[in-house]
C-alpha cells in the first residue's frame, strides 16, 4: 500500500556548529600532539625541533578552544564540573572529559618546557601519546556508540574519526610551519611533514572507504541513513570533504614532489595549499558527519 | 551408655533443630519474596482502540506544562495507499522505559537514571544539557526543555503513580487503548492483556527491551516515512 505519508512532530538537530567545531578543533589538538610528540621522541636534532615545537604549541590551544565550544553548547555550562565529579564510565563524555583535561595539562607543560628539560619532555611525550589516543577514542566513541544513529553507529566510525584527527593535526602543523617567519629555514622539516601528511591522507582514504562500505552493505537503516545523508549533503561531502580535503592535497603533493625533483628547490606554497585543503576538508567532513548524521 | 544417650540426643536435637530452622527459613523466605517482589512498571497500547484523538498528547502537555514544539507523548500518524484504498495508522509514542536504556548509559553525570521499578527518570538538577541522551534515544522520545535547558521526557507520571493514580495519558484515553501497571505481577491487568494478546515493541532489533508494548503494531509503519524535516510541526512527506 504505497505511497506512505507520515505526520510526526519536529525532531530537532540538537548538535549544531558548536559540536562540529568541538570535534574539529579537539581533533587538531589531539593529532598535533601525537605528531609532535612522536617526532620529538624519534628525532633529537635541530632540524625537527620546529615541527616538535609548533605541534606542541598548537595542541593545547586548539583542545582548549574545542572544549570552550563544547561548554558553550551545554544547556547549563556552569554545571559542567559535574562531568568530573559524577563519573559514569559507560559514557564517553564522562571519561573523555577527564582524558581531555589530562591531555590539556600534559600538552601545555610540553609546549612551555624549554629544550634543555630533555628528559621531562621525553616523559611527557611518552605519557601524553596514550592519553591523546584515549582522548581521540572518546571523541570517536561519542558518535560510534550512539545506537540510535545508523550513520555513526559502527566500528569504522571510531577509526575514521581517529585518522581524521591525525590528518588534520599534521595539516595544522604543516600550515603553521609554512606560514612561520622561519619557513625558509625549515624547508626540510616542512617537506618531511608534508610527506607524512600524504601517508596519513592515504590511510584516511582507506578508513573512509571502510566506513562507506560498512554503511552500503550494512542493515536496512544504515543504507537508508546513508542515502539521506547523500541526498542532503552528498555534493558538499564528495566535493568538500573528499575531493578538496583528500584528493586535491594528494595531487598537489605529487605535483610538488615532481617539481622539486625537476627544479631542486622546495616551494612553501605547495605545503601551504595542501594543509589548507586538508583542514577545509576536515572541517566539512565533521560538519556533514555531525549535522547530516542527525537527519535520519 | 551415657555416651550413646548423649549421641542419640545430640543427633535427634540436631535433626529437630535443623528441620525447624529449614522450615522457618523456607516460610520466611517465601514471605520475604512475596512482600518485596520488585514492581516493574510498563504500559500496553492497543492500536485497534486508538482513534488518534490526541487527548493523550494534550493531557500530557497540560500535566507537565510542556512548551510549544516539544512533546513528552504524542501520536504519530501514518497514511498508506492511494484513494480509494487508503489506511490510517495511529502510533502513540512515548519514552519506552527500556530495560537496557541507552540514554542512561550515555548520560555523563548520571542525571538520567533508572529506578528500581524500571522507570527511567531525569534529575533536572544534575542535567548539564549536553543532549547526548537525546542522541542516544532510538525512539526520539527525549527533547531539550526550551525553558529549563535540561533533557526532558515521559516519566510515566511518576508523581501520580506515587499517589496510586494512573498516568494522565492512560486516564484520559477515551478509547481505553492504554493500560498501565505492574509487569511483574501476574494478576495485574497489563500482565493479563499481554498474556491474552500478541504484543510487539518498537525497534526490537535495537535490543533495548522496551517496556511499552503495542498490540496490532505494524513495524513497517513505524519505521517508514520518518520525518527528515527540521522546522515544521506537521508536514506530509510523500515517498
Amino acid at each position: 500500500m504505497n505511497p506512505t505519508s507520515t505526520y510526526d512532530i519536529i525532531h530537532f538537530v540538537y548538535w549544531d556548529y558548536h559540536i562540529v567545531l568541538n570535534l574539529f578543533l579537539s581533533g587538531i589538538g589531539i593529532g598535533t600532539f601525537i605528531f609532535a610528540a612522536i617526532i620529538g621522541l624519534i628525532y633529537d636534532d635541530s632540524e625537527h625541533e620546529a615541527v616538535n615545537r609548533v605541534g606542541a604549541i598548537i595542541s593545547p590551544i586548539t583542545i582548549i578552544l574545542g572544549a570552550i565550544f563544547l561548554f558553550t553548547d551545554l544547556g547549563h555550562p556552569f554545571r559542567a564540573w559535574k562531568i568530573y565529579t559524577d563519573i559514569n564510565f559507560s559514557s564517553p563524555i564522562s571519561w573523555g572529559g577527564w582524558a581531555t583535561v589530562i591531555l590539556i595539562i600534559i600538552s601545555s607543560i610540553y609546549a612551555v618546557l624549554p629544550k634543555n628539560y630533555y628528559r621531562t619532555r621525553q616523559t611527557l611525550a611518552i605519557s601524553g601519546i596514550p592519553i591523546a589516543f584515549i582522548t581521540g577514542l572518546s571523541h570517536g566513541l561519542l558518535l560510534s556508540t550512539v545506537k540510535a544513529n545508523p550513520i555513526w553507529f559502527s566500528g569504522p566510525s571510531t577509526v575514521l574519526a581517529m585518522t581524521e584527527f591525525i590528518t588534520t593535526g599534521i595539516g595544522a602543523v604543516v600550515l603553521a610551519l609554512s606560514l612561520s617567519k622561519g619557513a625558509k629555514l625549515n624547508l626540510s622539516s616542512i617537506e618531511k611533514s608534508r610527506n607524512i601528511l600524504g601517508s596519513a591522507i592515504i590511510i584516511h582514504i582507506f578508513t573512509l572507504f571502510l566506513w562507506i562500505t560498512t554503511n552500503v552493505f550494512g542493515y536496512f537503516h544504515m543504507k537508508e541513513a546513508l542515502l539521506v545523508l547523500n541526498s542532503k549533503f552528498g555534493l558538499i561531502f564528495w566535493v568538500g570533504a573528499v575531493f578538496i580535503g583528500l584528493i586535491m592535497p594528494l595531487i598537489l603533493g605529487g605535483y610538488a614532489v615532481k617539481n622539486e625533483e625537476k627544479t631542486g628547490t622546495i616551494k612553501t606554497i605547495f605545503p601551504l595549499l595542501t594543509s589548507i585543503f586538508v583542514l577545509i576538508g576536515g572541517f566539512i567532513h565533521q560538519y556533514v558527519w555531525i549535522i547530516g548524521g542527525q537527519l535520519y | 551408655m551415657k555416651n550413646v544417650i548423649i549421641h542419640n540426643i545430640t543427633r535427634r536435637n540436631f535433626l529437630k533443630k535443623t528441620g525447624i530452622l529449614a522450615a522457618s527459613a523456607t516460610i520466611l523466605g517465601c514471605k520475604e519474596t512475596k512482600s518485596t517482589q520488585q514492581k516493574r512498571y510498563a504500559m500496553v497500547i492497543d492500536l485497534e482502540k486508538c482513534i488518534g484523538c490526541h487527548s493523550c498528547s494534550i493531557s500530557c502537555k497540560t500535566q507537565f506544562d510542556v512548551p510549544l514544539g516539544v512533546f513528552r507523548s504524542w501520536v504519530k500518524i501514518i497514511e498508506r495507499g492511494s484513494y480509494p484504498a487508503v489506511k490510517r495508522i495511529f502510533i502513540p509514542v512515548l519514552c519506552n522505559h527500556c530495560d537496557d536504556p541507552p540514554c542512561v548509559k550515555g548520560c555523563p553525570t548520571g542525571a538520567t537514571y533508572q529506578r528500581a521499578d524500571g522507570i527511567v527518570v531525569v534529575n533536572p538538577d544534575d542535567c548539564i544539557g549536553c543532549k547526548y541522551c537525546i542522541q542516544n534515544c532510538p525512539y526520539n522520545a527525549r527533547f531539550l526543555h526550551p525553558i529549563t535547558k535540561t533533557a526532558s521526557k515521559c516519566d510515566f507520571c511518576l508523581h501520580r503513580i506515587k499517589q496510586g493514580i494512573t498516568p494522565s495519558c492512560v486516564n484520559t484515553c477515551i478509547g481505553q487503548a492504554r493500560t498501565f501497571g505492574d509487569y511483574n505481577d501476574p494478576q495485574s491487568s497489563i500482565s493479563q492483556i499481554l498474556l491474552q494478546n500478541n504484543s510487539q515493541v518498537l525497534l526490537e532489533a535495537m535490543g533495548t527491551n522496551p517496556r511499552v508494548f503495542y498490540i496490532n503494531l505494524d513495524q513497517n509503519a513505524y519505521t517508514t516515512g520518518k520525518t527528515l524535516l527540521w522546522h515544521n510541526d506537521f508536514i506530509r512527506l510523500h515517498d
Side-chain angles (χ1 to χ4, degrees):
Chain A
M1 279 182 113
N2 283 319
T4 301
S5 310
T6 302
Y7 294 84
D8 202 356
I9 60 164
I10 322 164
H11 297 299
F12 294 100
V13 173
Y14 277 106
W15 279 354
D16 58 10
Y17 71 95
H18 288 89
I19 302 298
V20 176
L21 282 167
N22 164 251
L23 285 173
F24 177 65
L25 292 168
S26 303
I28 288 176
I30 292 159
T32 47
F33 184 82
I34 292 170
F35 182 53
I38 290 173
I39 293 290
L41 284 172
I42 295 172
Y43 304 106
D44 179 28
D45 50 24
S46 55
E47 192 191 335
H48 296 90
E49 199 198 333
V51 176
N52 178 255
R53 190 56 75 183
V54 164
I57 292 167
I58 293 170
S59 178
I61 295 169
T62 48
I63 297 172
I64 290 168
L65 275 173
I68 289 169
F69 276 107
L70 174 69
F71 290 139
T72 50
D73 184 62
L74 297 178
H76 287 275
F78 295 110
R79 288 184 195 166
W81 56 269
K82 281 178 185 284
I83 295 174
Y84 304 101
T85 53
D86 306 345
I87 299 167
N88 176 9
F89 284 108
S90 63
S91 172
I93 297 180
S94 188
W95 54 267
W98 269 108
T100 308
V101 167
I102 296 167
L103 184 62
I104 288 170
I105 294 166
I106 290 175
S107 60
S108 301
I109 300 169
Y110 190 70
V112 294
L113 219 58
K115 197 190 170 188
N116 48 348
Y117 287 88
Y118 177 74
R119 287 194 73 82
T120 318
R121 292 192 91 237
Q122 295 285 85
T123 312
L124 284 170
I126 290 166
S127 56
I129 290 168
I131 297 291
F133 269 105
I134 291 168
T135 313
L137 202 66
S138 78
H139 284 77
L141 288 172
L142 178 79
L143 303 178
S144 64
T145 54
V146 177
K147 212 183 248 188
N149 193 318
I151 282 287
W152 300 340
F153 184 63
S154 65
S157 287
T158 318
V159 185
L160 181 60
M162 204 63 217
T163 48
E164 166 98 38
F165 295 162
I166 290 168
T167 312
T168 50
I170 301 170
V173 172
V174 174
L175 178 67
L177 283 172
S178 308
L179 288 173
S180 66
K181 282 183 183 175
K184 284 182 181 168
L185 298 171
N186 298 319
L187 283 175
S188 167
S189 56
I190 291 173
E191 186 203 6
K192 280 182 182 166
S193 301
R194 186 207 58 199
N195 292 345
I196 297 169
L197 179 62
S199 309
I201 290 171
I202 291 167
I203 296 168
H204 192 164
I205 291 170
F206 271 111
T207 53
L208 186 71
F209 177 74
L210 188 69
W211 174 72
I212 291 169
T213 47
T214 305
N215 279 277
V216 168
F217 298 107
Y219 67 102
F220 169 75
H221 292 291
M222 279 178 142
K223 287 180 203 170
E224 210 178 43
L226 195 67
L227 277 174
V228 169
L229 187 74
N230 215 23
S231 66
K232 297 271 174 185
F233 288 94
L235 188 68
I236 188 173
F237 179 77
W238 290 108
V239 174
V242 178
F243 185 72
I244 295 175
L246 298 171
I247 309 296
M248 279 290 281
L250 277 184
I251 294 169
L252 263 175
Y255 180 75
V257 170
K258 282 249 172 188
N259 190 270
E260 280 156 22
E261 280 173 0
K262 210 173 175 182
T263 59
T265 54
I266 301 166
K267 288 180 180 173
T268 52
I269 186 73
F270 291 120
L272 180 75
L273 285 174
T274 306
S275 57
I276 288 172
F277 285 145
V278 164
L279 290 173
I280 290 171
F283 178 77
I284 293 171
H285 185 220
Q286 290 293 357
Y287 180 81
V288 173
W289 222 22
I290 301 297
I291 308 291
Q294 291 174 82
L295 290 184
Y296 183 74
Chain B
M1 187 63 184
K2 198 183 173 184
N3 279 345
V4 172
I5 294 164
I6 288 168
H7 175 75
N8 283 344
I9 290 167
T10 309
R11 190 166 56 188
R12 192 177 294 157
N13 276 347
F14 173 75
L15 288 170
K16 199 191 271 178
K17 279 178 183 171
T18 313
I20 292 164
L21 203 71
S24 53
T26 314
I27 293 160
L28 282 172
C30 287
K31 262 194 165 176
E32 187 72 10
T33 315
K34 200 172 181 184
S35 62
T36 59
Q37 190 185 34
Q38 186 54 60
K39 284 188 174 181
R40 187 22 172 135
Y41 287 118
M43 189 181 282
V44 59
I45 305 171
D46 189 345
L47 299 183
E48 281 291 304
K49 293 179 181 174
C50 178
I51 57 164
C53 66
H54 295 277
S55 63
C56 50
S57 318
I58 303 303
S59 70
C60 179
K61 278 256 183 193
T62 49
Q63 186 73 219
F64 292 96
D65 205 10
V66 182
L68 283 173
V70 285
F71 294 82
R72 280 172 166 240
S73 172
W74 72 99
V75 182
K76 193 171 172 174
I77 304 167
I78 298 102
E79 284 179 358
R80 275 186 168 175
S82 303
Y83 179 82
V86 286
K87 190 183 179 185
R88 219 167 187 213
I89 302 159
F90 305 109
I91 305 179
V93 188
L94 66 159
C95 171
N96 283 266
H97 298 276
C98 311
D99 264 352
D100 188 13
C103 53
V104 173
K105 280 184 185 167
C107 180
T109 62
T112 292
Y113 62 96
Q114 189 161 34
R115 286 161 48 95
D117 56 16
I119 300 176
V120 178
V121 284
V122 183
N123 179 358
D125 295 331
D126 280 344
C127 179
I128 57 169
C130 69
K131 294 157 269 185
Y132 195 44
C133 57
I134 300 172
Q135 302 290 356
N136 268 294
C137 178
Y139 309 100
N140 290 314
R142 286 173 168 257
F143 60 92
L144 191 79
H145 197 289
I147 296 160
T148 63
K149 302 286 178 195
T150 55
S152 188
K153 65 165 199 77
C154 158
D155 62 356
F156 272 164
C157 284
L158 194 56
H159 63 293
R160 289 170 67 97
I161 298 169
K162 280 177 182 171
Q163 292 174 12
I165 319 169
T166 54
S168 61
C169 58
V170 178
N171 187 48
T172 198
C173 182
I174 58 167
Q176 296 188 345
R178 294 176 185 237
T179 311
F180 176 80
D182 183 7
Y183 179 75
N184 283 349
D185 178 7
Q187 301 305 318
S188 67
S189 52
I190 186 170
S191 297
Q192 293 297 317
I193 292 170
L194 289 171
L195 201 67
Q196 289 159 14
N197 297 278
N198 280 328
S199 62
Q200 300 86 30
V201 290
L202 298 177
L203 305 176
E204 194 177 6
M206 285 280 171
T208 55
N209 295 328
R211 282 297 168 262
V212 172
F213 300 91
Y214 292 85
I215 296 171
N216 299 309
L217 173 71
D218 183 349
Q219 287 282 5
N220 289 335
Y222 179 75
T223 51
T224 53
K226 195 169 182 175
T227 182
L228 312 170
L229 298 160
W230 294 4
H231 297 296
N232 294 297
D233 243 325
F234 292 96
I235 287 185
R236 178 177 283 188
L237 285 176
H238 285 287
D239 290 338

